[in-house]
Amino acid sequence: MAQQQTGSRKRKAPAVEAGAESSPSQGLAAADGEGPLLLKRQRRPATCRSMVHYLKVREVGGWGPAGLQGFDGEMRGYAVQRLPELLTERQLDLGTLNKVFASQWLNSRQVVCGTKCNTLFVVDVQSGHITRIPLLRDREAGLAQDQQGCGIHAIELNPSKTLLATGGENPNSLAIYQLPTLDPLCLGDRHGHKDWIFAVAWLSDTVAVSGSRDGTVALWQMDPDKFDDTVAWHSEVGLPVYAHIRPKDVEAIPRAIINPSNRKVRALACGAKNQELGAVSLDGYFHLWKARSTLSRLLSIRLPYFRDNVCLTYCDDMSVYAVGSHSHVSFLDLRQGQQNIRPLCSREGGTGVRSLSFYRHIITVGTGQGSLLFYDIRAQKFLEERASATLESSSGPSGRKLRLACGRGWLNHNDFWVNYFGGMEVFPNALYTHCYNWPEMKLFVAGGPLPAGLHGNYAGLWS
């Protein structure tokens, strides 16, 4: 069913050491009359013998379980801060695909992506091989032809990584695939949105929410067991048959007094702890919904920077939403009695924040100028480059903001490029999507040229 296509490799991929966390040694034999003595010995990790490790553990409270937990937390936080400056780029060849809008890791070497040219594909980041995934079609044929030019803006995996939600052949429709096989499961089409789906968020393993530029959010319930009778392989032509579903609830966001016609839902983020759903609309508002079996709106807030609010993410550890706009990232801490976090300015020529992600206290910012920035929300400052060590002093912060510049990617040298951009050879790529594989310390970044008329792509593996 899937069509395979080999991406050319400009150079051999460098070997990468896996950075997966290893568990403490479990080689101690069971106690045989010496239980208390062996229990005491188990508190000392047998695999860590360096002086640095010893001194660090002593600083955070000794060898006991609490001390080890504090040390692990401190080292993870240290790794999160140091990783960005250690990353190096290897570009991936995507051929002539146009602008990657969405991406997610499927496993340690495969990333699933969606493009403006409405292509869903899986890329192997080690070999460069690309596998195209057939899109799901609406029950009523011909509707997708009226929706050209949008593409796939959202790809999300459910918490257990057993289902994948994205757009269909018609970008108004919500398509659900089973993982890891990527077999089609169901499609929400004519009873759902009337315009392009821009965002998807999972509330649980079986409940997803989609946001559309028709100004609505829709709640969908997926029950794979109930679809067993309808999902089968057609015996004659070998094509999959999938269920067609309708949303359990559809709610419209309120019309703003200012710019009431531009209430398009652009981004979603889920706060799973409180069963909340955050939504950003292009009229400059943030909306908070209570999400259970139905959607109930709690509040709407006018954002301080309301131009091009196109991305949203949520930090579980700090219960903070982050909204990316034309030149800033705004933070929304909705808990009572908490001090507000001041917005950060991307200072990237006003080309906008195009992608955001949280991991612990570090937020990664993908810009419209082809660069990645890293912001420490606890210290409320950008990570800085480290100055080179000298004989007189060790390396330390240089005072310069850490900025990773992405490669050139591929650009179609067509008539539009010649007529409107004068044949400019070097054109920065907007980083529309990025996703981390933290156990192996890898970062996948993708996008393409920012102007709507330019055709091109960029994809890179940072490790």
Side-chain angles (χ1 to χ4, degrees):
M1 180 182 68
Q3 302 172 358
Q4 293 229 339
Q5 184 175 336
T6 304
S8 61
R9 289 170 287 175
K10 295 185 178 179
R11 63 171 181 260
K12 185 177 179 181
V16 178
E17 288 287 343
E21 297 174 4
S22 58
S23 59
S25 175
Q26 298 178 354
L28 294 176
D32 186 11
E34 295 182 341
L37 181 61
L38 283 177
L39 284 175
K40 288 184 180 180
R41 288 177 180 171
Q42 286 177 355
R43 294 181 181 178
R44 182 184 295 271
T47 57
C48 300
R49 301 180 183 274
S50 72
M51 180 60 68
V52 173
H53 186 276
Y54 170 76
L55 293 175
K56 276 290 185 183
V57 169
R58 191 173 68 175
E59 289 178 12
V60 295
W63 288 104
L68 283 174
Q69 185 175 7
F71 175 70
D72 287 344
E74 183 175 326
M75 291 302 293
R76 287 176 184 174
Y78 179 74
V80 169
Q81 282 192 291
R82 290 301 305 273
L83 177 63
E85 64 183 296
L86 302 177
L87 294 173
T88 58
E89 178 193 35
R90 178 170 63 88
Q91 289 196 61
L92 301 171
D93 186 355
L94 300 184
T96 60
L97 294 172
N98 190 22
K99 298 181 184 178
V100 181
F101 283 154
S103 64
Q104 290 290 334
W105 286 90
L106 291 178
N107 49 54
S108 62
R109 60 183 290 172
Q110 290 183 313
V111 180
V112 58
C113 303
T115 71
K116 183 179 179 179
C117 54
N118 222 34
T119 301
L120 183 68
F121 68 93
V122 174
V123 57
D124 187 313
V125 296
Q126 293 186 17
S127 68
H129 288 294
I130 291 176
T131 304
R132 298 191 182 221
I133 308 301
L135 299 179
L136 306 192
R137 296 180 178 179
D138 286 0
R139 192 188 299 263
E140 297 180 12
L143 292 179
Q145 297 178 0
D146 301 330
Q147 302 291 338
Q148 298 297 322
C150 170
I152 298 173
H153 280 269
I155 296 175
E156 292 294 336
L157 277 60
N158 68 345
S160 65
K161 296 187 177 182
T162 55
L163 297 177
L164 180 148
T166 185
E169 183 182 69
N170 179 357
N172 302 359
S173 302
L174 180 72
I176 306 296
Y177 296 82
Q178 291 181 312
L179 294 177
T181 60
L182 282 170
D183 289 334
L185 181 67
C186 59
L187 180 71
D189 43 22
R190 58 184 178 177
H191 298 292
H193 298 292
K194 307 304 180 187
D195 211 333
W196 303 346
I197 291 176
F198 271 150
V200 177
W202 286 92
L203 302 176
S204 68
D205 263 347
T206 57
V207 178
V209 177
S210 55
S212 166
R213 74 171 192 169
D214 65 4
T216 65
V217 288
L219 186 145
W220 308 82
Q221 176 78 49
M222 269 67 67
D223 190 345
D225 295 335
K226 292 183 179 179
F227 298 150
D228 286 344
D229 295 333
T230 58
V231 179
W233 289 91
H234 195 286
S235 58
E236 295 180 359
V237 295
L239 295 177
V241 178
Y242 40 87
H244 293 263
I245 62 174
R246 63 177 64 200
K248 291 193 65 177
D249 190 20
V250 178
E251 298 290 336
I253 65 172
R255 291 183 180 272
I257 299 176
I258 303 173
N259 200 8
S261 62
N262 197 20
R263 55 173 184 156
K264 304 169 184 177
V265 179
R266 192 59 182 82
L268 298 173
C270 176
K273 291 181 181 178
N274 300 321
Q275 292 184 304
E276 293 176 349
L277 178 77
V280 169
S281 53
L282 286 181
D283 57 1
Y285 277 83
F286 170 85
H287 311 273
L288 188 66
W289 305 76
K290 199 70 174 179
R292 292 192 179 94
S293 58
T294 60
L295 295 169
S296 175
R297 189 171 59 89
L298 299 176
L299 56 86
S300 295
I301 301 173
R302 177 71 167 171
L303 292 167
Y305 302 94
F306 47 83
R307 184 180 175 189
D308 292 342
N309 290 296
V310 296
C311 48
L312 174 70
T313 188
Y314 181 76
C315 178
D316 285 302
D317 294 339
M318 306 183 72
S319 299
V320 170
Y321 289 92
V323 183
S325 68
H326 183 68
S327 57
H328 289 78
V329 177
S330 303
F331 298 100
L332 300 175
D333 188 345
L334 303 178
R335 298 169 297 175
Q336 294 183 356
Q338 296 294 320
Q339 184 179 1
N340 291 330
I341 303 171
R342 68 175 183 266
L344 67 92
C345 179
S346 69
R347 296 192 183 95
E348 289 291 308
T351 54
V353 176
R354 297 293 155 176
S355 57
L356 289 173
S357 70
F358 261 118
Y359 187 77
R360 297 175 70 89
H361 57 283
I362 301 296
I363 185 167
T364 303
V365 181
T367 75
Q369 283 283 2
S371 62
L372 292 166
L373 307 174
F374 306 89
Y375 189 79
D376 187 335
I377 194 172
R378 293 190 309 194
Q380 297 196 37
K381 66 177 184 179
F382 286 98
L383 298 189
E384 296 179 354
E385 296 178 359
R386 287 193 169 265
S388 300
T390 64
L391 294 176
E392 292 79 16
S393 62
S394 60
S395 64
S398 65
R400 297 186 301 271
K401 183 168 52 180
L402 178 62
R403 177 180 178 272
L404 300 184
C406 293
R408 294 174 59 177
W410 171 79
L411 181 65
N412 188 0
H413 294 173
N414 53 17
D415 291 340
F416 185 90
W417 168 71
V418 173
N419 294 334
Y420 289 92
F421 295 95
M424 187 191 320
E425 285 292 339
V426 180
F427 206 95
N429 290 295
L431 305 183
Y432 293 111
T433 179
H434 67 263
C435 51
Y436 280 94
N437 175 358
W438 274 105
E440 298 192 7
M441 296 187 180
K442 298 176 183 177
L443 172 62
F444 178 82
V445 187
L450 188 60
L454 286 179
H455 184 116
N457 66 65
Y458 162 80
L461 176 68
W462 292 77
S463 60

